[in-house]
Amino acid sequence: MYGLWVVLLVIAGRAKVTRRNFPAALVGLAVNVVLLILLVPDYGIAGAGVALCGAYVGMLGVMYCWSDGLSRSRSSGDVWPLSLSS
């Protein structure tokens, strides 16, 4: 478990986005651990795969909420900086 924390911190530190990625990584870790505890005893390796997918969904949800808030605070109502219509 300690090795996972070190890997996450090294990756985020090298990308210089620790402040943005760390909450998403924590949510992913928490979701993964909970789902592993719930699913692996009954479903084995398939439960571990589902737990991993659930962790990614949790991380993406946090990253979406975080980036959505950033884009709305920077723009004047329009989320996309370039308009695709002519």
Side-chain angles (χ1 to χ4, degrees):
M1 186 61 115
Y2 177 72
L4 178 64
W5 283 101
V6 172
V7 170
L8 288 174
L9 290 174
V10 168
I11 290 171
R14 288 183 187 254
K16 299 195 188 305
V17 290
T18 307
R19 196 174 70 207
R20 286 185 292 184
N21 288 343
F22 195 66
L26 284 179
V27 168
L29 178 67
V31 169
N32 196 14
V33 168
V34 168
L35 289 177
L36 284 172
I37 291 169
L38 293 174
L39 297 175
V40 168
D42 293 333
Y43 300 106
I45 193 72
V50 171
L52 180 63
C53 291
Y56 279 122
V57 168
M59 290 174 63
L60 287 173
V62 170
M63 293 172 121
Y64 174 77
C65 291
W66 181 261
S67 64
D68 190 43
L70 288 176
S71 65
R72 288 181 194 265
S73 65
R74 291 181 184 166
S75 64
S76 59
D78 188 18
V79 175
W80 298 99
L82 300 174
S83 177
L84 299 177
S85 61
S86 55

